[in-house]
Amino acid sequence: MISVAEAIQIVKEQTPTLQTERVALAQTLGRYLAEDIVADSDLPPFDRSQMDGYAIRAQNVANAPVSLPIVGESAAGKGWHHEMEDGQAVRIMTGAPVPAGADSVQQVELTHELQDGRLVEILESVAPGRSIVKRGSEIKAGEIVLRPGERINAAMLAALASFGYVEVQVGRRPRVAVMATGSELVSINTQPAQDQIRDSNNYSISAYAELASAVVERLPLTGDETPLLKRQIAKAAERCDVVVTSGGVSMGVYDFTKTALQELGAELFFERVALRPGKPTVFARLPNGALVFALPGNPVSVSVTFNLFARTALLTMQGAVESTLKEETAVLAVGVKGTSQRESYLPTQLTTNDDGQLIAFPLKWGGSSDFVAFTRATALIKVPKRVGLIAEGTTVRVVRLPHS
Ligand code: AMP
Ligand code: MG
């Protein structure tokens, strides 16, 4: 059985990067950059006032209070483009260009106007440069501000907008077909009869795939019948980059997903991983190039294996620099137990204590089917194989689950 790290490596190696496309800026949230983002101007583009107040020369107000004549007004979008002379003041607003000849701004709270606005009394002295953001001090024209492979977040949209990126080159979103197997499954609008349960995996998998910026197509439920499974997988693969199935990969008499894949001529890269939960995870490629993740049926196994493996593929396809879950260290609030043959990924909540340390509260859970307990999980504790009990207070590795 291969390790989780080996399995992730195989996923990275076998997953192609998709072509890139130009997308309107407003549609790029969560997409992966496929070009350098270059500043097209200095920021700020001019010496900019940080305050409402008066542009002055610091040396003129060294012996404040002093009164200075107001010779003009500079507002945001309508600057005062003359030379301010020694001993003068210009009324200025936040965001407005500082006139040539001024070296500082005194905030309005420390001033008051006299003689119907012809004079201003500056009540306190200022240091030269005060309340002025110098041209180009944030970024210089031509500098690269963002690199390919970064996930575009809300703050980045501001940078992209500022530099005039009406459209942005990003990785294409992978198309993912999601399909649940199992004769016991009924759709959510059906009252389960005896021995039946509602399908939940299709919803969690679709949601996780969307969090990975994929375009998701949910397929109808398939039972446990090889010909039907084959037809569904083959059809989905015609229009999708990735097919994610759940269920039917264990050792049961009705576990036919692998058979279906083999009969379709798929190349199986791995079919068992030394992982708890999620051992019987399958990663394969169909003859037409579509990748298949056949995940075990248990809902918690689905969440763990999707995020360890399928998510990595979806992000790799989009050119992400970071394609695996973010790993950190945390201190265990309660002891946990590992297992001899497999690495465990145990659901946990994370909080921070008063010292700023990350604390892991392992969820009390009934195993890989306990998806109600799992609704509280924000991360997974990694417990290496052959480690028995890990005591409370031990520092452990955790991986963050993606969140909405
Ligand atoms: P399997 O891997 O097919 O043996 O399924 C393992 C367990 O997960 C069984 O208890 C199934 O009923 C359950 N299961 C499989 N698929 C789903 C699904 N789509 N939604 C909820 N539970 C499922
Ligand atoms: Mg099944």
Side-chain angles (χ1 to χ4, degrees):
M1 240 184 326
I2 60 169
S3 69
V4 173
E6 285 165 333
I8 290 174
Q9 192 52 38
I10 292 171
V11 170
K12 287 181 175 172
E13 284 165 9
Q14 297 300 336
T15 302
T17 305
L18 303 178
Q19 66 275 38
T20 65
E21 60 188 9
R22 293 196 78 67
V23 171
L25 178 62
Q27 261 74 58
T28 59
L29 184 65
R31 303 290 296 273
Y32 289 85
L33 272 177
E35 62 175 328
D36 284 338
I37 299 302
V38 183
D40 75 335
S41 61
D42 290 343
L43 279 188
F46 43 80
D47 291 355
R48 181 174 63 198
S49 178
Q50 255 179 333
M51 292 281 181
D52 295 323
Y54 295 86
I56 50 176
R57 291 191 192 176
Q59 65 180 36
N60 291 159
V61 300
N63 301 316
V66 289
S67 293
L68 304 174
I70 300 172
V71 296
E73 181 176 290
S74 179
K78 194 168 185 301
W80 186 80
H81 298 290
H82 310 278
E83 180 86 22
M84 192 193 85
E85 284 166 23
D86 197 29
Q88 296 183 330
V90 169
R91 192 183 298 116
I92 194 163
M93 317 301 158
T94 305
V98 176
D103 66 6
S104 48
V105 170
Q106 181 55 292
Q107 65 191 83
V108 70
E109 292 84 350
L110 301 178
T111 67
H112 68 97
E113 291 196 1
L114 303 166
Q115 293 184 11
D116 282 340
R118 283 196 298 274
L119 286 183
V120 61
E121 186 174 28
I122 306 287
L123 302 175
E124 286 184 21
S125 63
V126 290
R130 173 75 164 275
S131 297
I132 295 176
V133 188
K134 295 296 277 183
R135 172 180 184 155
S137 63
E138 291 163 358
I139 203 90
K140 297 250 188 310
E143 272 184 62
I144 296 174
V145 293
L146 299 169
R147 302 265 179 193
E150 291 196 61
R151 186 170 212 252
I152 299 176
N153 62 27
M156 291 176 190
L157 285 178
L160 291 163
S162 285
F163 299 129
Y165 281 84
V166 177
E167 290 184 329
V168 188
Q169 197 75 22
V170 294
R172 175 167 77 72
R173 299 172 71 183
R175 284 187 295 273
V176 177
V178 179
M179 189 182 120
T181 75
S183 307
E184 73 279 29
L185 301 177
V186 294
S187 61
I188 56 168
N189 51 10
T190 306
Q191 183 64 40
Q194 193 180 13
D195 305 333
Q196 294 183 325
I197 57 166
R198 291 194 184 96
D199 157 46
S200 61
N201 288 344
N202 265 358
Y203 292 88
S204 54
I205 293 174
S206 302
Y208 283 127
E210 278 167 7
L211 288 177
S213 301
V215 179
V216 177
E217 180 184 342
R218 262 194 259 123
L219 301 181
L221 297 174
T222 27
D224 288 311
E225 198 201 312
T226 314
L228 183 58
L229 278 171
K230 276 171 67 177
R231 269 205 307 281
Q232 284 254 39
I233 294 172
K235 221 169 83 190
E238 279 171 22
R239 47 177 194 271
C240 289
D241 305 292
V242 181
V243 180
V244 182
T245 69
S246 64
V249 284
S250 337
M251 306 299 279
V253 184
Y254 299 103
D255 290 330
F256 297 131
T257 310
K258 259 192 297 192
T259 316
L261 290 173
Q262 275 153 346
E263 290 186 12
L264 287 169
E267 182 180 356
L268 267 61
F269 300 116
F270 57 77
E271 47 191 290
R272 274 147 63 90
V273 183
L275 165 65
R276 178 184 75 140
K279 177 167 80 170
T281 302
V282 178
F283 174 45
R285 182 169 50 221
L286 291 165
N288 80 341
L291 298 180
V292 182
F293 290 89
L295 310 179
N298 267 315
V300 176
S301 311
V302 158
S303 296
V304 171
T305 55
F306 180 93
N307 284 303
L308 289 175
F309 308 119
R311 177 181 181 274
T312 298
L314 298 180
L315 267 53
T316 301
M317 285 180 160
Q318 295 170 80
V321 204
E322 298 286 346
S323 61
T324 52
L325 297 171
K326 185 170 155 47
E327 190 161 331
E328 288 167 281
T329 55
V331 176
L332 272 183
V334 181
V336 293
K337 247 169 71 187
T339 188
S340 62
Q341 305 293 327
R342 293 182 277 159
E343 189 180 359
S344 302
Y345 280 70
L346 306 176
T348 186
Q349 283 181 301
L350 293 180
T351 54
T352 312
N353 69 10
D354 291 344
D355 301 330
Q357 217 172 18
L358 209 53
I359 308 291
F361 285 90
L363 293 176
K364 211 165 152 291
W365 68 312
S368 52
S369 61
D370 194 352
F371 55 87
V372 177
F374 195 78
T375 58
R376 303 289 163 216
T378 56
L380 303 168
I381 302 168
K382 290 174 67 169
V383 183
K385 65 179 179 184
R386 285 192 288 275
V387 171
L389 198 73
I390 305 186
E392 169 193 335
T394 310
T395 299
V396 289
R397 309 289 297 170
V398 296
V399 288
R400 295 263 187 185
L401 287 165
H403 50 81
S404 51

